[in-house]
PDB file of all heavy atoms in Angstrom:
ATOM      1  N   ARG A 335     -11.550  10.560 -31.972  1.00 97.00           N
ATOM      2  CA  ARG A 335     -12.270   9.563 -32.745  1.00 97.00           C
ATOM      3  C   ARG A 335     -13.260   8.762 -31.905  1.00 97.00           C
ATOM      4  O   ARG A 335     -12.939   8.328 -30.806  1.00 97.00           O
ATOM      5  CB  ARG A 335     -11.274   8.592 -33.368  1.00 97.00           C
ATOM      6  CG  ARG A 335     -11.607   8.318 -34.818  1.00 97.00           C
ATOM      7  CD  ARG A 335     -10.413   7.883 -35.608  1.00 97.00           C
ATOM      8  NE  ARG A 335      -9.739   6.752 -34.984  1.00 97.00           N
ATOM      9  CZ  ARG A 335      -9.782   5.515 -35.450  1.00 97.00           C
ATOM     10  NH1 ARG A 335     -10.461   5.232 -36.532  1.00 97.00           N
ATOM     11  NH2 ARG A 335      -9.134   4.554 -34.856  1.00 97.00           N
ATOM     12  N   ARG A 336     -14.484   8.578 -32.440  1.00 94.00           N
ATOM     13  CA  ARG A 336     -15.449   7.704 -31.766  1.00 94.00           C
ATOM     14  C   ARG A 336     -15.074   6.274 -32.057  1.00 94.00           C
ATOM     15  O   ARG A 336     -14.851   5.922 -33.212  1.00 94.00           O
ATOM     16  CB  ARG A 336     -16.847   7.931 -32.352  1.00 94.00           C
ATOM     17  CG  ARG A 336     -17.530   9.123 -31.814  1.00 94.00           C
ATOM     18  CD  ARG A 336     -18.832   9.350 -32.582  1.00 94.00           C
ATOM     19  NE  ARG A 336     -19.645  10.296 -31.836  1.00 94.00           N
ATOM     20  CZ  ARG A 336     -20.527   9.947 -30.905  1.00 94.00           C
ATOM     21  NH1 ARG A 336     -20.767   8.674 -30.657  1.00 94.00           N
ATOM     22  NH2 ARG A 336     -21.191  10.851 -30.243  1.00 94.00           N
ATOM     23  N   LEU A 337     -15.031   5.460 -31.045  1.00 96.00           N
ATOM     24  CA  LEU A 337     -14.647   4.060 -31.239  1.00 96.00           C
ATOM     25  C   LEU A 337     -15.672   3.160 -30.570  1.00 96.00           C
ATOM     26  O   LEU A 337     -16.227   3.511 -29.540  1.00 96.00           O
ATOM     27  CB  LEU A 337     -13.277   3.807 -30.602  1.00 96.00           C
ATOM     28  CG  LEU A 337     -12.088   4.479 -31.290  1.00 96.00           C
ATOM     29  CD1 LEU A 337     -10.874   4.445 -30.385  1.00 96.00           C
ATOM     30  CD2 LEU A 337     -11.781   3.774 -32.602  1.00 96.00           C
ATOM     31  N   PRO A 338     -15.920   2.011 -31.190  1.00 96.00           N
ATOM     32  CA  PRO A 338     -16.817   1.075 -30.516  1.00 96.00           C
ATOM     33  C   PRO A 338     -16.138   0.570 -29.242  1.00 96.00           C
ATOM     34  O   PRO A 338     -14.917   0.542 -29.168  1.00 96.00           O
ATOM     35  CB  PRO A 338     -16.981  -0.059 -31.531  1.00 96.00           C
ATOM     36  CG  PRO A 338     -15.778   0.026 -32.390  1.00 96.00           C
ATOM     37  CD  PRO A 338     -15.350   1.469 -32.423  1.00 96.00           C
ATOM     38  N   ASP A 339     -16.929   0.183 -28.277  1.00 97.00           N
ATOM     39  CA  ASP A 339     -16.364  -0.297 -27.016  1.00 97.00           C
ATOM     40  C   ASP A 339     -17.103  -1.557 -26.607  1.00 97.00           C
ATOM     41  O   ASP A 339     -18.299  -1.518 -26.319  1.00 97.00           O
ATOM     42  CB  ASP A 339     -16.512   0.794 -25.949  1.00 97.00           C
ATOM     43  CG  ASP A 339     -15.632   0.499 -24.739  1.00 97.00           C
ATOM     44  OD1 ASP A 339     -15.251  -0.666 -24.541  1.00 97.00           O
ATOM     45  OD2 ASP A 339     -15.328   1.448 -24.005  1.00 97.00           O
ATOM     46  N   ARG A 340     -16.376  -2.663 -26.581  1.00 96.00           N
ATOM     47  CA  ARG A 340     -17.059  -3.906 -26.241  1.00 96.00           C
ATOM     48  C   ARG A 340     -16.983  -4.224 -24.752  1.00 96.00           C
ATOM     49  O   ARG A 340     -17.473  -5.243 -24.301  1.00 96.00           O
ATOM     50  CB  ARG A 340     -16.505  -5.046 -27.062  1.00 96.00           C
ATOM     51  CG  ARG A 340     -17.433  -5.263 -28.277  1.00 96.00           C
ATOM     52  CD  ARG A 340     -16.937  -6.373 -29.119  1.00 96.00           C
ATOM     53  NE  ARG A 340     -15.621  -5.998 -29.613  1.00 96.00           N
ATOM     54  CZ  ARG A 340     -14.897  -6.732 -30.425  1.00 96.00           C
ATOM     55  NH1 ARG A 340     -15.339  -7.896 -30.817  1.00 96.00           N
ATOM     56  NH2 ARG A 340     -13.722  -6.333 -30.865  1.00 96.00           N
ATOM     57  N   THR A 341     -16.337  -3.339 -23.994  1.00 98.00           N
ATOM     58  CA  THR A 341     -16.300  -3.577 -22.546  1.00 98.00           C
ATOM     59  C   THR A 341     -17.616  -3.106 -21.930  1.00 98.00           C
ATOM     60  O   THR A 341     -18.344  -2.322 -22.523  1.00 98.00           O
ATOM     61  CB  THR A 341     -15.146  -2.810 -21.879  1.00 98.00           C
ATOM     62  OG1 THR A 341     -15.417  -1.406 -21.935  1.00 98.00           O
ATOM     63  CG2 THR A 341     -13.828  -3.088 -22.563  1.00 98.00           C
ATOM     64  N   ARG A 342     -17.876  -3.606 -20.742  1.00 97.00           N
ATOM     65  CA  ARG A 342     -19.088  -3.260 -20.017  1.00 97.00           C
ATOM     66  C   ARG A 342     -18.780  -3.234 -18.540  1.00 97.00           C
ATOM     67  O   ARG A 342     -17.812  -3.846 -18.092  1.00 97.00           O
ATOM     68  CB  ARG A 342     -20.144  -4.349 -20.230  1.00 97.00           C
ATOM     69  CG  ARG A 342     -21.203  -4.037 -21.241  1.00 97.00           C
ATOM     70  CD  ARG A 342     -22.271  -5.132 -21.309  1.00 97.00           C
ATOM     71  NE  ARG A 342     -21.858  -6.504 -21.090  1.00 97.00           N
ATOM     72  CZ  ARG A 342     -22.091  -7.195 -19.967  1.00 97.00           C
ATOM     73  NH1 ARG A 342     -22.701  -6.641 -18.951  1.00 97.00           N
ATOM     74  NH2 ARG A 342     -21.713  -8.457 -19.862  1.00 97.00           N
ATOM     75  N   LEU A 343     -19.637  -2.601 -17.785  1.00 97.00           N
ATOM     76  CA  LEU A 343     -19.515  -2.650 -16.336  1.00 97.00           C
ATOM     77  C   LEU A 343     -20.513  -3.667 -15.828  1.00 97.00           C
ATOM     78  O   LEU A 343     -21.708  -3.406 -15.834  1.00 97.00           O
ATOM     79  CB  LEU A 343     -19.867  -1.290 -15.758  1.00 97.00           C
ATOM     80  CG  LEU A 343     -18.719  -0.479 -15.211  1.00 97.00           C
ATOM     81  CD1 LEU A 343     -19.243   0.819 -14.663  1.00 97.00           C
ATOM     82  CD2 LEU A 343     -17.942  -1.248 -14.151  1.00 97.00           C
ATOM     83  N   PRO A 344     -20.049  -4.837 -15.422  1.00 97.00           N
ATOM     84  CA  PRO A 344     -20.999  -5.841 -14.936  1.00 97.00           C
ATOM     85  C   PRO A 344     -21.668  -5.345 -13.659  1.00 97.00           C
ATOM     86  O   PRO A 344     -21.094  -4.570 -12.908  1.00 97.00           O
ATOM     87  CB  PRO A 344     -20.124  -7.051 -14.623  1.00 97.00           C
ATOM     88  CG  PRO A 344     -18.748  -6.696 -14.996  1.00 97.00           C
ATOM     89  CD  PRO A 344     -18.658  -5.248 -15.280  1.00 97.00           C
ATOM     90  N   ARG A 345     -22.890  -5.810 -13.410  1.00 97.00           N
ATOM     91  CA  ARG A 345     -23.575  -5.378 -12.197  1.00 97.00           C
ATOM     92  C   ARG A 345     -23.036  -6.089 -10.963  1.00 97.00           C
ATOM     93  O   ARG A 345     -23.037  -5.564  -9.876  1.00 97.00           O
ATOM     94  CB  ARG A 345     -25.067  -5.615 -12.336  1.00 97.00           C
ATOM     95  CG  ARG A 345     -25.760  -4.255 -12.261  1.00 97.00           C
ATOM     96  CD  ARG A 345     -27.225  -4.397 -12.270  1.00 97.00           C
ATOM     97  NE  ARG A 345     -27.666  -4.291 -13.652  1.00 97.00           N
ATOM     98  CZ  ARG A 345     -28.883  -4.630 -14.032  1.00 97.00           C
ATOM     99  NH1 ARG A 345     -29.734  -5.130 -13.179  1.00 97.00           N
ATOM    100  NH2 ARG A 345     -29.226  -4.480 -15.280  1.00 97.00           N
ATOM    101  N   GLN A 346     -22.608  -7.318 -11.167  1.00 97.00           N
ATOM    102  CA  GLN A 346     -22.019  -8.089 -10.066  1.00 97.00           C
ATOM    103  C   GLN A 346     -20.554  -8.300 -10.404  1.00 97.00           C
ATOM    104  O   GLN A 346     -20.231  -8.621 -11.539  1.00 97.00           O
ATOM    105  CB  GLN A 346     -22.663  -9.469  -9.949  1.00 97.00           C
ATOM    106  CG  GLN A 346     -24.173  -9.473  -9.924  1.00 97.00           C
ATOM    107  CD  GLN A 346     -24.690  -8.997  -8.594  1.00 97.00           C
ATOM    108  OE1 GLN A 346     -24.000  -9.097  -7.577  1.00 97.00           O
ATOM    109  NE2 GLN A 346     -25.900  -8.449  -8.586  1.00 97.00           N
ATOM    110  N   LEU A 347     -19.695  -8.197  -9.409  1.00 98.00           N
ATOM    111  CA  LEU A 347     -18.280  -8.448  -9.655  1.00 98.00           C
ATOM    112  C   LEU A 347     -17.847  -9.734  -8.945  1.00 98.00           C
ATOM    113  O   LEU A 347     -17.933 -10.793  -9.509  1.00 98.00           O
ATOM    114  CB  LEU A 347     -17.448  -7.237  -9.239  1.00 98.00           C
ATOM    115  CG  LEU A 347     -17.765  -5.969 -10.063  1.00 98.00           C
ATOM    116  CD1 LEU A 347     -17.229  -4.719  -9.384  1.00 98.00           C
ATOM    117  CD2 LEU A 347     -17.212  -6.074 -11.471  1.00 98.00           C
ATOM    118  N   ARG A 348     -17.437  -9.626  -7.675  1.00 98.00           N
ATOM    119  CA  ARG A 348     -17.051 -10.848  -6.956  1.00 98.00           C
ATOM    120  C   ARG A 348     -17.805 -10.909  -5.631  1.00 98.00           C
ATOM    121  O   ARG A 348     -17.706  -9.993  -4.828  1.00 98.00           O
ATOM    122  CB  ARG A 348     -15.543 -10.862  -6.689  1.00 98.00           C
ATOM    123  CG  ARG A 348     -15.075 -12.140  -5.992  1.00 98.00           C
ATOM    124  CD  ARG A 348     -13.634 -12.036  -5.552  1.00 98.00           C
ATOM    125  NE  ARG A 348     -12.757 -11.791  -6.671  1.00 98.00           N
ATOM    126  CZ  ARG A 348     -12.239 -12.753  -7.444  1.00 98.00           C
ATOM    127  NH1 ARG A 348     -12.494 -14.003  -7.205  1.00 98.00           N
ATOM    128  NH2 ARG A 348     -11.463 -12.437  -8.450  1.00 98.00           N
ATOM    129  N   PRO A 349     -18.540 -11.995  -5.410  1.00 97.00           N
ATOM    130  CA  PRO A 349     -19.266 -12.108  -4.134  1.00 97.00           C
ATOM    131  C   PRO A 349     -18.289 -12.164  -2.964  1.00 97.00           C
ATOM    132  O   PRO A 349     -17.143 -12.612  -3.127  1.00 97.00           O
ATOM    133  CB  PRO A 349     -20.027 -13.419  -4.259  1.00 97.00           C
ATOM    134  CG  PRO A 349     -19.687 -14.003  -5.582  1.00 97.00           C
ATOM    135  CD  PRO A 349     -18.678 -13.162  -6.269  1.00 97.00           C
ATOM    136  N   LEU A 350     -18.734 -11.730  -1.810  1.00 97.00           N
ATOM    137  CA  LEU A 350     -17.912 -11.839  -0.612  1.00 97.00           C
ATOM    138  C   LEU A 350     -17.724 -13.311  -0.269  1.00 97.00           C
ATOM    139  O   LEU A 350     -18.611 -14.126  -0.515  1.00 97.00           O
ATOM    140  CB  LEU A 350     -18.610 -11.144   0.560  1.00 97.00           C
ATOM    141  CG  LEU A 350     -18.666  -9.618   0.497  1.00 97.00           C
ATOM    142  CD1 LEU A 350     -19.576  -9.094   1.601  1.00 97.00           C
ATOM    143  CD2 LEU A 350     -17.274  -9.035   0.640  1.00 97.00           C
ATOM    144  N   PRO A 351     -16.579 -13.675   0.318  1.00 96.00           N
ATOM    145  CA  PRO A 351     -16.403 -15.065   0.737  1.00 96.00           C
ATOM    146  C   PRO A 351     -17.445 -15.442   1.809  1.00 96.00           C
ATOM    147  O   PRO A 351     -17.908 -14.590   2.562  1.00 96.00           O
ATOM    148  CB  PRO A 351     -14.987 -15.108   1.302  1.00 96.00           C
ATOM    149  CG  PRO A 351     -14.555 -13.696   1.472  1.00 96.00           C
ATOM    150  CD  PRO A 351     -15.416 -12.849   0.602  1.00 96.00           C
TER     151      PRO A 351
END
Side-chain angles (χ1 to χ4, degrees):
R335 225 156 53 107
R336 280 173 166 270
L337 291 166
D339 195 339
R340 263 180 298 182
T341 68
R342 259 184 326 105
L343 252 181
R345 242 185 267 167
Q346 310 285 335
L347 297 164
R348 182 189 301 274
L350 289 171

